Amino acid sequence: MSLLRSCFLQIVTSADGEESNFSTEAEMELLPRSAVLRYRHGEGDVVLRIEERAVALERGGDYLLRLNFSEGEALPGVIGLAGAEGSVETKTHRLGCSVGKDSVLLSMRYTLRFDRGEQEMKLRLFARGKNHPEEK
């Protein structure tokens, strides 16, 4: 049984050693071994699907982004801006996640490959329910 709840979301990313911190209110749907997070980032809506061994990110709005992550794999992705779409690839070196009764932890290290180069990325995500409702 899943339960949709409001949560506090914090994401710390590092791109080639440059760290940035983002936090917001979000919606979190928890299942026994997976979670779905929905939130706004700038002018875009983001859906993040987190499973034990895979993560999928979809962003729509001012720009389009579809990325997939699975430890040890290189997977295709899409980035789009002003109606034009291009290809990207994620090579996931490490993916660890923990889904609890009221929280989600995610840690990833990956390489984002573009047509003209690549970027070394790290991501740490923490989401925690605000109301801590009792599950039945």
Side-chain angles (χ1 to χ4, degrees):
M1 181 175 138
S2 71
L3 184 61
L4 185 65
R5 64 188 83 185
S6 294
C7 70
F8 172 77
L9 173 66
Q10 181 178 30
I11 301 173
V12 178
T13 55
S14 173
D16 292 331
E18 237 1 83
E19 194 169 280
S20 65
N21 195 328
F22 169 73
S23 58
T24 190
E25 304 283 318
E27 283 188 339
M28 174 171 61
E29 183 179 2
L30 297 174
L31 299 162
R33 291 193 173 119
S34 64
V36 177
L37 296 167
R38 291 177 181 84
Y39 60 95
R40 286 206 44 91
H41 187 243
E43 298 298 313
D45 293 312
V46 181
V47 177
L48 193 60
R49 290 175 172 72
I50 301 168
E51 298 177 8
E52 282 185 272
R53 302 192 192 292
V55 173
L57 180 142
E58 287 188 41
R59 185 187 200 283
D62 53 345
Y63 67 89
L64 168 77
L65 191 60
R66 285 193 304 265
L67 301 176
N68 294 290
F69 306 89
S70 182
E71 189 168 321
E73 292 188 48
L75 298 171
V78 174
I79 188 166
L81 185 61
E85 289 187 3
S87 297
V88 294
E89 181 183 80
T90 56
K91 168 67 172 156
T92 308
H93 308 291
R94 184 175 49 82
L95 189 154
C97 76
S98 173
V99 177
K101 284 190 175 201
D102 199 40
S103 65
V104 178
L105 291 169
L106 173 66
S107 176
M108 294 192 307
R109 188 172 59 82
Y110 61 96
T111 303
L112 191 58
R113 295 183 177 140
F114 301 91
D115 290 339
R116 297 189 177 135
E118 57 185 44
Q119 200 168 34
E120 295 301 318
M121 304 291 295
K122 290 181 187 174
L123 179 138
R124 292 187 318 271
L125 176 147
F126 174 67
R128 183 174 220 24
K130 293 178 3 185
N131 299 333
H132 308 290
E134 294 296 317
E135 292 190 54
K136 296 180 175 148

